[in-house]
C-alpha cells in the first residue's frame, strides 16, 4: 500500500513555525494542515497567534477556524478531520504539510491510535464516579493533577467526563501522553518530522515579546467580545493561555500587569513541555534557528532534507 508522505513542521510556541511553513508550502506545492489546538476555534485570533489571511499568501490552510469556541473538539475529532483532508490533498496531487505544536494532535497522525477501540475499565470508572459524588470535582481534578499534571492542565475541572476518563487511564497504568512508547507508526503515512528550536533564552525572549504584542493587538477586547456574545469563561477553549488570564483580569482577580506576566510565564512553561515532548520523536530532524542568519538558507536546508528522504522512500 502506498504511504502518503506527511511533512510535519513543529517546534515550541513562538519559535517561528508560521512564516517558514508558508514559504515551504509554496516551494513544495503543499497545502497546510494546522495542528494547533487553539487556532481550530473561530473568533480566537489574537490569543492563539492565528495565521492571518495576509500571512497565508494564497497557501491553502485546513483546520483553522474550523469550529465555534463552544464546540467540544477532541484529539479523535482532529484525527478524523485531518485524515480526510490529507487524503483529499494527496488525491489532488499536492503535498501535505502539517504544522503546529499540539503534541497530541501530531501523535494522532504519526502513530496508529484507534480512539474507537480505546480500552475502558467499567469497574474502575464506576468507582471513580462514586468517588466524584462523595468528594466533588475539585477533589477529583486535584487527584488527576497528582497523577498526570499535563492532563490536569489540559482538562478543565468542569469537564467532568474527561476528568474521570483521564483518571481511569492513569489508574489503569498508563499516562495519557505516553503514546510513543506503546504505539506503532501509522502505516498510512510516511512521516517526515522537522523540529525547529532556538536557544532557550532567545526563545523565552520571543515568547515575552509575543505576550506584549497580544496586548497591543487588543487581546482584552477579543476576550470581552467572546464573553459578550455568550461564550462561557469555563469552556475548554477559554482555558487556553491568554484567555483565562484576561478573564481573571476582567473579573478583578488579577491586575493587568499580573495577567500579562502569568501569560508570559505559562507560555514559557508550555514551550519547555513541548520541547520535552518533541524529543520523543526519534525519527526527527532538529534545526537550530539561531545558527541561520539567512532564512533562505534555512529553507533550502530543510527542502534538501525532505528531498533526500523522498529519494529513499
Amino acid at each position: 500500500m502506498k504511504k502518503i508522505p506527511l511533512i510535519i513542521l513543529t517546534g515550541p510556541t513562538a519559535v517561528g513555525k508560521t512564516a517558514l511553513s508558508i514559504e515551504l508550502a509554496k516551494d513544495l506545492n503543499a497545502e497546510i494542515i494546522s495542528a494547533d489546538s487553539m487556532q481550530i476555534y473561530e473568533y480566537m485570533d489574537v490569543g492563539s497567534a492565528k495565521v492571518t489571511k495576509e500571512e497565508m499568501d494564497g497557501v491553502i490552510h485546513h483546520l483553522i477556524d474550523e469550529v465555534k469556541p463552544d464546540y467540544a473538539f477532541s484529539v479523535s475529532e482532529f484525527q478524523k478531520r485531518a485524515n480526510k483532508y490529507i487524503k483529499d490533498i494527496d488525491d489532488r496531487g499536492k503535498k501535505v504539510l502539517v504544522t503546529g505544536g499540539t503534541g497530541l494532535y501530531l501523535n494522532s497522525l504519526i502513530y496508529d491510535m484507534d480512539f474507537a477501540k480505546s480500552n475502558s475499565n467499567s469497574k474502575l470508572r464506576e468507582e471513580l464516579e462514586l468517588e466524584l459524588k462523595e468528594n466533588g470535582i475539585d477533589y477529583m481534578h486535584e487527584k488527576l493533577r497528582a497523577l498526570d499534571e499535563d492532563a490536569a492542565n489540559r482538562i478543565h475541572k468542569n469537564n467532568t467526563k474527561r476528568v474521570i476518563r483521564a483518571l481511569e487511564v492513569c489508574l489503569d497504568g498508563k499516562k495519557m501522553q505516553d503514546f510513543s512508547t506503546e504505539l506503532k507508526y501509522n502505516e498510512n503515512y510516511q512521516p517526515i518530522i522537522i523540529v525547529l528550536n532556538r536557544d532557550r533564552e532567545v526563545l523565552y525572549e520571543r515568547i515575552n515579546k509575543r505576550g506584549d504584542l497580544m496586548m497591543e493587538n487588543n487581546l482584552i477586547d477579543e476576550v470581552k467580545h467572546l464573553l459578550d456574545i455568550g461564550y462561557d469563561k469555563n469552556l475548554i477553549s477559554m482555558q487556553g493561555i491568554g484567555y483565562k488570564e484576561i478573564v481573571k483580569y476582567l473579573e478583578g482577580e488579577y491586575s493587568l500587569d499580573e495577567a500579562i506576566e502569568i501569560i508570559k510565564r505559562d507560555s514559557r512553561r508550555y514551550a519547555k513541555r513541548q520541547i520535552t515532548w518533541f524529543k520523543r520523536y526519534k525519527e526527527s530532524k532538529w534545526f537550530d534557528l539561531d545558527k541561520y542568519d539567512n532564512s533562505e538558507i534555512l529553507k533550502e536546508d530543510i527542502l534538501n532534507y525532505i528531498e533526500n528522504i523522498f529519494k529513499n522512500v
Side-chain angles (χ1 to χ4, degrees), residues 104-147:
L104 280 171
Y105 283 10
L106 297 176
N107 277 19
S108 75
L109 300 178
I110 295 169
Y111 300 110
D112 184 16
M113 295 171 60
D114 189 344
F115 293 95
K117 295 180 181 177
S118 61
N119 294 326
S120 64
N121 184 329
S122 58
K123 185 175 185 298
L124 176 58
R125 182 172 296 185
E126 288 173 9
E127 292 173 358
L128 289 168
E129 288 174 349
L130 179 61
E131 194 174 356
L132 170 65
K133 290 179 182 177
E134 292 174 349
N135 298 292
I137 190 59
D138 287 331
Y139 172 86
M140 299 303 282
H141 196 256
E142 286 307 307
K143 181 171 183 171
L144 174 60
R145 186 174 301 282
L147 291 166

Side-chain angles (χ1 to χ4, degrees), residues 198-298:
R198 294 181 183 271
D199 173 80
R200 190 67 59 92
E201 292 306 313
V202 174
L203 178 63
Y204 285 178
E205 182 58 32
R206 288 174 62 92
I207 289 170
N208 292 339
K209 286 181 179 177
R210 175 177 282 185
D212 291 332
L213 187 61
M214 286 179 180
M215 293 302 113
E216 293 174 20
N217 289 340
N218 299 317
L219 177 60
I220 294 172
D221 289 343
E222 180 169 278
V223 175
K224 283 181 179 177
H225 176 68
L226 286 162
L227 296 171
D228 287 345
I229 60 178
Y231 291 111
D232 190 274
K233 67 178 183 180
N234 293 314
L235 290 169
I236 294 173
S237 60
M238 295 291 278
Q239 303 311 305
I241 297 172
Y243 293 94
K244 62 181 183 296
E245 293 82 6
I246 295 301
V247 168
K248 289 182 178 180
Y249 157 67
L250 293 171
E251 292 180 338
E253 185 173 340
Y254 294 157
S255 69
L256 183 56
D257 286 344
E258 285 173 328
I260 294 169
E261 283 309 306
I262 292 170
I263 290 169
K264 293 177 181 179
R265 181 201 69 192
D266 287 356
S267 296
R268 295 192 299 268
R269 289 177 177 175
Y270 177 52
K272 186 177 179 181
R273 293 197 302 273
Q274 286 177 301
I275 291 167
T276 300
W277 183 290
F278 302 139
K279 284 179 178 177
R280 296 183 186 132
Y281 296 147
K282 295 178 182 178
E283 304 297 326
S284 62
K285 174 70 172 176
W286 288 60
F287 287 84
D288 182 352
L289 273 61
D290 296 318
K291 293 181 179 178
Y292 290 89
D293 295 326
N294 187 311
S295 60
E296 281 297 315
I297 296 174
L298 168 65

